[in-house]
Amino acid sequence: MPSLISIRGVLNAELLRMLRDKFLIGITIYLLFVFVVIRLILSAEVAEGNKELIPHIPLIFSYFVVQIAPMIPGIIGGFLLLESREEGAVKALMVAATPLPTYLSIVNVAMFAAAFLLTLLGGAIIGVGLPPWPALCGIALAGAPAGPLFALLIAAIANNKVQAFACMKLYGLGPFLVVGAWFMPDTWQWLVAIYPPYWATKAYWVAEAGGAWLPWTLGGVITSTIWIGALRRLFLRAARK
């Protein structure tokens, strides 16, 4: 177990690096702005009784809150981990008091917590189409692993920030797979189940309809854990090169 001093040191260092990068701060502020705009639009449409839009509110909410919100900490974490690779910091950690796997675990837990909180914050800001809060908390827990998952995916595959931006655009297509699943019969939706955020999104759809959402959240946690374990090994292998 890492000491409190190690955890505080890693988090302080990563926070300082993030604050130096205006892009990472900008995308977070932009997402919060989008949440506010969506709330205003949906509230107006619901008040007017828009019969075409109202049935699709769960789809809109799940796209931005359940999928996009956890991706933002993942993008931030991915760029921070990649910067550590580029600067050689991860190699130095191989012989440091805080070893590389410990450093990676601390960053991953921070990304998980940030994704969880940002999901809840997004739900609170939009405030339209919310399931009961216990269900939303469970859904946020199932979707939060997307934070470390995307962070590891970017940092393990990209070798520089140019490649990282390309990866970010490619991974940004993932949420559209889940949007497509909305229009599929339930049986066909299993084709998208290999994509971990699908499970949290499906849990939201089921919860919003008053169904049993817990099995879907558990499925999301299990699927994400498998992916994160594989990507963690991939990142450690890339860091040692």
Side-chain angles (χ1 to χ4, degrees), residues 2-189:
S3 66
L4 290 177
I5 295 176
S6 298
I7 295 174
R8 186 173 61 183
V10 170
L11 293 180
N12 285 341
E14 298 305 308
L15 179 60
L16 288 174
R17 288 202 298 161
M18 187 186 78
L19 293 176
R20 290 199 305 264
D21 195 323
K22 293 182 175 60
F23 167 75
L24 300 181
I25 297 175
I27 58 174
T28 305
I29 295 174
Y30 173 74
L31 181 64
L32 295 176
F33 173 75
V34 169
F35 286 158
V36 174
V37 172
I38 292 172
R39 179 190 179 97
L40 295 175
I41 293 174
L42 292 184
S43 297
E45 295 299 327
V46 170
E48 293 178 4
N50 188 323
K51 295 182 179 181
E52 294 183 359
L53 180 63
I54 290 176
H56 293 92
I57 286 179
L59 177 61
I60 297 169
F61 183 97
S62 63
Y63 175 81
F64 286 100
V65 175
V66 183
Q67 293 197 80
I68 301 301
M71 284 183 68
I72 299 303
I75 292 171
I76 292 173
F79 275 85
L80 292 176
L81 288 173
L82 179 60
E83 187 176 326
S84 296
R85 276 186 58 197
E86 289 183 311
E87 294 176 351
V90 291
K91 289 186 177 180
L93 287 170
M94 295 177 188
V95 293
T98 302
L100 178 57
T102 301
Y103 160 79
L104 190 58
S105 296
I106 294 172
V107 173
N108 284 344
V109 170
M111 293 303 103
F112 176 92
F116 174 76
L117 294 174
L118 192 55
T119 299
L120 295 182
L121 179 60
I125 291 175
I126 293 179
V128 179
L130 278 179
W133 273 97
L136 185 60
C137 289
I139 292 163
L141 284 173
L149 191 153
F150 281 105
L152 290 169
L153 198 57
I154 290 173
I157 294 178
N159 292 315
N160 52 60
K161 288 188 176 181
V162 174
Q163 293 181 6
F165 276 108
C167 290
M168 185 178 70
K169 292 180 180 179
L170 179 62
Y171 305 153
L173 298 176
F176 290 105
L177 294 175
V178 185
V179 171
W182 168 270
F183 300 98
M184 296 179 184
D186 287 348
T187 304
W188 286 95
Q189 288 183 16

Side-chain angles (χ1 to χ4, degrees), residues 193-241:
I194 192 173
Y195 180 67
Y198 162 78
W199 294 84
T201 307
K202 181 68 175 183
Y204 166 74
W205 294 344
V206 172
E208 198 274 338
W213 51 270
L214 186 57
W216 295 99
T217 62
L218 294 176
V221 171
I222 293 170
T223 306
S224 297
T225 300
I226 294 171
W227 273 98
I228 289 173
L231 290 170
R232 178 187 172 92
R233 289 193 293 271
L234 184 63
F235 174 81
L236 291 173
R237 189 182 307 153
R240 293 188 174 102
K241 289 182 180 179

